[in-house]
């Protein structure tokens, strides 16, 4: 029996290179070795944004990106949190096992609240974000949760909740481990973390023209002003991208940038071509997938059915352990 992975993303629409490097690529690589379950965490989006008008479309766009990147829905069910009511039931039970001060210490939630300006006035559901995530994970008895570093506090709380439940009632839940992705946060075009809200992204689905334009905007070494100025690749975002997406060119670019022989404009043009080539298979697959949205909906319906069976079984065990059945 393969070990199980539970991974999820909030549906915010088309994915960018940071989502790919930080999570999706890892999911694809682990497929085959593990049994992957992939969750669209739509309820989680409500914790920081009440506008639901784009949710359906964002879900479809995100799932298309998952599929185009290589998630095989036959092997790896793709499902939507809000369609599997057991997430809410388990969340309610877990809410009895966690104190408010414990939730208030969560650095990731705190940072989000700071960004939203709700630090001293946080929404109850936002404070409970990691409890809902614990329900997502424990419902499927996942062994492993592949996440970015910012998600580790949530995985830690998930482990505590599992232990607490097992101790209080019966040994029903598996204590999962977090697995942090290898590649650190990918910088955006401006050097901050790549993030949709900062407007500094390159999307997996961007056309070659858009990639070309966006790469031209990327911040490079601020001390390299003219073509012949010697550059410092270690402070250049484009160079970071080279390391990930065009590793075979790194040595050559490093030398030519340092000597001043290579100017930033030419460098960016080369990189844009290289990235375009890297993303070509993805883009081609995406075009095919976009043609039939009903197929995408069928894939999600099938995933909901498969995930729902596992969720129902776990809830049955949970209720039995609690004498609630
Ligand atoms: N909190 C995760 C994020 O923002 C999304 C998520 C929701 C998730 N439920 C999950 C990730 C369960 C892993 C497992 O990226």
């Amino acid at each position: 029996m393969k070990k199980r992975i539970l991974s999820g993303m909030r549906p915010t629409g088309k994915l960018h290179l940071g989502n790919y490097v930080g999570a999706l690529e890892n999911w694809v690589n682990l497929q085959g070795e593990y049994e992957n379950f992939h969750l669209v965490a739509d309820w989680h989006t409500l914790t920081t944004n009440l506008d639901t008008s784009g949710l359906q479309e964002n879900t479809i766009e995100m799932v298309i990106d998952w599929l185009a990147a290589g998630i095989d829905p036959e092997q790896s069910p793709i499902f939507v949190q809000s369609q599997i009511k057991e997430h809410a039931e388990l969340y309610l039970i877990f809410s009895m096992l966690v104190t408010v001060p414990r939730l208030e210490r969560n650095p990731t939630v705190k940072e989000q609240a700071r960004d939203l300006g709700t630090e001293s006035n946080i929404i109850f559901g936002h404070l409970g974000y990691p409890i809902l995530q614990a329900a997502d994970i424990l419902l499927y008895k996942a062994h492993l949760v592949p996440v970015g570093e910012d998600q580790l506090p949530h995985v830690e709380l998930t482990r505590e909740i599992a232990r607490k439940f097992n101790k209080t009632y019966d040994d029903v839940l598996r204590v999962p481990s977090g697995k942090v992705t290898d590649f650190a946060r990918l910088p955006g075009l401006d050097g901050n973390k790549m993030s949709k809200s900062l407007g500094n992204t390159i999307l997996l689905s961007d056309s070659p023209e858009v990639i070309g334009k966006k790469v031209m905007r990327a911040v490079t070494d601020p001390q390299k002003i003219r073509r012949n100025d010697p550059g410092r690749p270690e402070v250049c975002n484009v160079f970071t991208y080279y390391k990930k997406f065009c590793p075979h060119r790194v040595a050559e670019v490093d030398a030519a940038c340092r000597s001043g022989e290579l100017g930033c404009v030419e460098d960016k043009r080369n990189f844009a071509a290289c990235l375009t080539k890297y993303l070509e298979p993805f883009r081609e697959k995406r075009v095919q997938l976009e043609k039939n949205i009903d197929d995408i909906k069928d894939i999600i319906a099938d995933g909901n059915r498969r995930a729902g069976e596992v969720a129902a079984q776990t809830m049955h065990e949970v209720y039995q352990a609690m004498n609630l059945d």
Side-chain angles (χ1 to χ4, degrees), residues 53-110:
S53 57
L55 259 186
Q56 302 276 2
E57 195 190 328
N58 285 343
T59 295
I60 297 287
E61 293 291 359
M62 182 172 80
V63 170
I64 291 178
D65 280 345
W66 290 0
L67 296 167
I71 297 297
D72 166 16
E74 296 276 325
Q75 285 187 61
S76 314
I78 291 173
F79 60 102
V80 176
Q81 189 181 44
S82 65
Q83 300 311 302
I84 298 174
K85 310 305 177 195
E86 283 85 353
H87 290 252
E89 292 183 56
L90 196 55
Y91 167 69
L92 179 132
I93 291 166
F94 286 171
S95 73
M96 316 300 169
L97 305 178
V98 185
T99 67
V100 170
R102 176 69 185 87
L103 293 172
E104 283 172 342
R105 284 206 302 275
N106 186 297
T108 301
V109 172
K110 262 204 232 170

Side-chain angles (χ1 to χ4, degrees), residues 6-10 39 41 44 129 133 136-137 145 147 151:
L6 188 287
S7 52
M9 285 187 201
R10 283 170 288 172
L39 163 85
H44 270 119
Y129 184 116
Q133 187 156 338
D136 297 342
I137 296 166
V145 189
V147 286
Q151 298 293 307

Side-chain angles (χ1 to χ4, degrees), residues 1-177:
M1 280 274 280
K2 283 180 188 170
K3 290 188 174 173
R4 186 174 289 159
I5 278 175
L6 188 287
S7 52
M9 285 187 201
R10 283 170 288 172
T12 50
K14 291 180 177 167
L15 300 181
H16 54 67
L17 297 181
N19 301 130
Y20 179 71
V21 167
L24 182 54
E25 183 184 29
N26 212 27
W27 301 2
V28 175
N29 290 337
L30 294 166
Q31 192 171 241
E33 187 185 344
Y34 289 86
E35 182 191 16
N36 290 22
F37 274 60
H38 297 302
L39 163 85
V40 177
D42 56 348
W43 276 335
H44 270 119
T45 64
L46 299 178
T47 63
T48 54
N49 177 12
L50 293 174
D51 179 5
T52 52
S53 57
L55 259 186
Q56 302 276 2
E57 195 190 328
N58 285 343
T59 295
I60 297 287
E61 293 291 359
M62 182 172 80
V63 170
I64 291 178
D65 280 345
W66 290 0
L67 296 167
I71 297 297
D72 166 16
E74 296 276 325
Q75 285 187 61
S76 314
I78 291 173
F79 60 102
V80 176
Q81 189 181 44
S82 65
Q83 300 311 302
I84 298 174
K85 310 305 177 195
E86 283 85 353
H87 290 252
E89 292 183 56
L90 196 55
Y91 167 69
L92 179 132
I93 291 166
F94 286 171
S95 73
M96 316 300 169
L97 305 178
V98 185
T99 67
V100 170
R102 176 69 185 87
L103 293 172
E104 283 172 342
R105 284 206 302 275
N106 186 297
T108 301
V109 172
K110 262 204 232 170
E111 190 186 319
Q112 284 174 339
R114 208 176 305 129
D115 290 349
L116 290 167
T118 58
E119 235 179 333
S120 57
N121 206 17
I122 190 166
I123 289 171
F124 171 62
H126 191 195
L127 194 61
Y129 184 116
I131 305 184
L132 182 56
Q133 187 156 338
D136 297 342
I137 296 166
L138 298 178
L139 206 40
Y140 300 96
K141 299 192 179 175
H143 296 78
L144 207 65
V145 189
V147 286
E149 209 143 278
D150 62 320
Q151 298 293 307
L152 280 179
H154 302 343
V155 177
E156 192 46 46
L157 186 75
T158 301
R159 291 162 58 84
E160 286 174 30
I161 290 174
R163 287 197 204 98
K164 173 100 184 186
F165 182 94
N166 289 347
K167 201 165 106 212
T168 309
Y169 298 107
D170 201 357
D171 214 351
V172 169
L173 302 173
R174 169 170 286 118
V175 181
S177 310

